[in-house]
Amino acid sequence: MRNGSILFVLAVVISVGCGDSSDPDPGGCPETGTGALELAIQGLPASASPHVIIRRGSESREVRAGGRLAGLTAGMWTLSPEPVAGSGGRVRAAYDAPARQLCVLDGEVANATLQYALIPSSQRLWLSTSNGAAEVEAFAAADLEVTGAPSASVQLGSSPGIPRASGLAFDKRGNLWVALGSGELRRYPASDLGASGVKSPDVIMSGGVLSAGSPGPIAIAFDAAGDLWTSIGFSDTVVRFGAAQLVSGTAPAPQVVLSGLGDPSTLAFDAMGNLWVGDVRAGASRVHKVAASSLQASGTVTPVASIDVMEAAPGRSFAGPSGLAFDGERNLWVSYGASGVVVRLTPADQEGSGAVSVIPSIQIDAGGPKELAFDEGGGLWMAYNSGKISRLSPSQLSVSGAPTPDVVISSSDLGATHGVAVYPAPANLPLFHRLP
């Protein structure tokens, strides 16, 4: 395997010639008969298995190992590797390879090699922070094991870098998407995320519904199809941009605009494709569940359920949910930045309809949480207080109380933390950037 410092160049397509002067048609790729493909895989550790889709027209095969594939219809085939992850650590290493094309000839064996390389955004915990210098930064997986004061492994900022981000999300290939309340959605390519410095986004979506008022985009989340959803502060809406729209320098008309969800902030999708929305209206403590079937068209939606979180005894505020995250057992965890409390809503808690009041069985005083992210070991990462982030272990998440976090990272590189994300997401979570 090559050294982990190799930078992955995203989505390069290499066209391979179809033959030599002895080919029946040297300028093309004949489509008569059948042939074979000998596929070699390089660059993956033993803990990662390749995943390649090969296609020709309507024909496709899914390949999980190198070797010979026989009985392929003659013609031009496209080899499209999917990103894959290895094992080990609280955030795994992920790998990808460029796509390529090659010609399969009747009665012959075509040879192809797919060269995987490390995705630089992987094996890191990513944060949106505000320390006056870097506004998006990452800590290496190796620094997440024990309490300490490590330096950030990557800092993206310094004017004209990344302004303070209100939300972070990754797509499946490790590109970082950033929501800016000033009215933009930006994408930073995975290939640029391996080292500190001033980075240029390769996509900036602005204008239209994103910047007609203030604040603009607050949170972002991808659904299972790769469509991007964002909550818009000034219009109190949640909008969807389709995967094919995420390439423009200006904001196209969104495919779906939803209203009727109060003042929507944080967003999350569950394993069934339902959208969960935190409502930060003054005095509100609601989390809305919007059925997947209601996400196909614009309009004012009626949530399946609007859950008000209550305490067994009065006195604690649950106003303004600031973070949502599902764990591997389909529990929904909700953080409240104003009170520093994190609660668990079990699948049973989530099944109500209409206006529902729930006293969560788990309520944890966790410091000052905003957004939330789970790691491979089932630990929950969040902001702790200014200059610190923390992890609650699975055992700490099983009881109410005010635990001392399992891990506390204190760093001069941290300010007030907002967004939190890991790439890749664990395979058992309902996130678009999860990898097997």
Side-chain angles (χ1 to χ4, degrees):
M1 183 184 70
R2 293 188 177 185
N3 187 283
S5 63
I6 295 174
L7 297 185
F8 164 64
V9 180
L10 184 67
V12 177
V13 178
I14 305 172
S15 294
V16 179
C18 293
D20 54 29
S21 58
S22 64
D23 288 340
D25 180 6
C29 185
E31 299 182 344
T32 301
T34 59
L37 166 64
E38 189 73 30
L39 180 62
I41 304 292
Q42 296 181 357
L44 286 180
S47 62
S49 299
H51 182 195
V52 183
I53 308 298
I54 66 170
R55 295 184 178 89
R56 176 190 173 278
S58 60
E59 298 178 73
S60 67
R61 292 194 189 184
E62 190 172 35
V63 179
R64 296 286 185 170
R68 181 163 297 190
L69 302 173
L72 299 180
T73 303
M76 188 68 72
W77 286 79
T78 299
L79 282 62
S80 301
E82 292 290 305
V84 296
S87 61
R90 289 182 169 166
V91 185
R92 294 175 295 167
Y95 305 83
D96 208 346
R100 62 175 299 177
Q101 292 181 312
L102 81 166
C103 182
V104 174
L105 296 173
D106 181 34
E108 297 188 15
V109 178
N111 292 280
T113 298
L114 292 177
Q115 182 67 52
Y116 279 83
L118 181 74
I119 300 176
S121 51
S122 68
Q123 278 191 306
R124 305 183 198 274
L125 173 73
W126 290 87
L127 308 162
S128 167
T129 185
S130 52
N131 67 1
E135 302 294 356
V136 173
E137 50 195 50
F139 287 85
D143 292 328
L144 305 178
E145 298 291 335
V146 296
T147 293
S151 298
S153 62
V154 176
Q155 298 185 61
L156 310 179
S158 302
S159 181
I162 304 175
R164 181 184 299 181
S166 55
L168 304 177
F170 282 95
D171 63 25
K172 188 163 288 187
R173 305 206 100 92
N175 304 303
L176 175 65
W177 286 84
V178 175
L180 303 178
S182 57
E184 292 182 355
L185 297 173
R186 296 184 179 185
R187 185 180 77 177
Y188 291 84
S191 57
D192 278 354
L193 301 180
S196 299
V198 176
K199 307 296 180 179
S200 298
D202 61 350
V203 174
I204 299 177
M205 298 175 64
S206 62
V209 299
L210 297 177
S211 55
S214 181
I218 298 172
I220 47 180
F222 285 94
D223 63 21
D227 299 332
L228 185 151
W229 295 78
T230 183
S231 50
I232 308 293
F234 71 87
S235 60
D236 293 338
T237 58
V238 177
V239 306
R240 182 186 82 190
F241 295 102
Q245 296 180 298
L246 305 181
V247 295
S248 174
T250 57
Q255 294 178 337
V256 173
V257 179
L258 304 179
S259 57
L261 298 169
D263 294 344
S265 59
T266 187
L267 308 173
F269 284 91
D270 65 23
M272 287 69 71
N274 304 307
L275 174 63
W276 292 79
V277 181
D279 181 357
V280 296
R281 277 179 300 184
S285 62
R286 295 180 183 88
V287 178
H288 302 294
K289 176 183 179 181
V290 183
S293 59
S294 298
L295 303 178
Q296 307 309 309
S298 298
T300 300
V301 296
T302 300
V304 173
S306 295
I307 300 176
D308 275 303
V309 171
M310 311 292 289
E311 190 181 24
R316 175 180 288 163
S317 171
F318 288 104
S322 56
L324 301 174
F326 283 92
D327 65 20
E329 297 178 347
R330 299 191 176 182
N331 298 302
L332 174 61
W333 292 84
V334 186
S335 68
Y336 298 88
S339 60
V341 175
V342 176
V343 306
R344 184 188 69 182
L345 298 178
T346 66
D349 294 331
Q350 302 165 31
E351 288 303 316
S353 61
V356 179
S357 294
V358 173
I359 299 175
S361 57
I362 301 296
Q363 301 182 22
I364 300 173
D365 290 294
K370 298 290 186 183
E371 293 288 346
L372 307 170
F374 280 96
D375 63 22
E376 291 291 335
L380 183 62
W381 288 91
M382 66 196 80
Y384 191 46
N385 50 39
S386 185
K388 297 180 180 180
I389 56 174
S390 66
R391 178 187 192 261
L392 295 178
S393 69
S395 61
Q396 291 176 317
L397 295 173
S398 65
V399 293
S400 295
T404 299
D406 173 53
V407 175
V408 177
I409 302 296
S410 305
S411 175
S412 59
D413 295 328
L414 288 169
T417 299
H418 308 282
V420 181
V422 300
Y423 180 78
N428 62 343
L429 300 187
L431 294 165
F432 180 58
H433 65 291
R434 69 186 186 274
L435 294 180

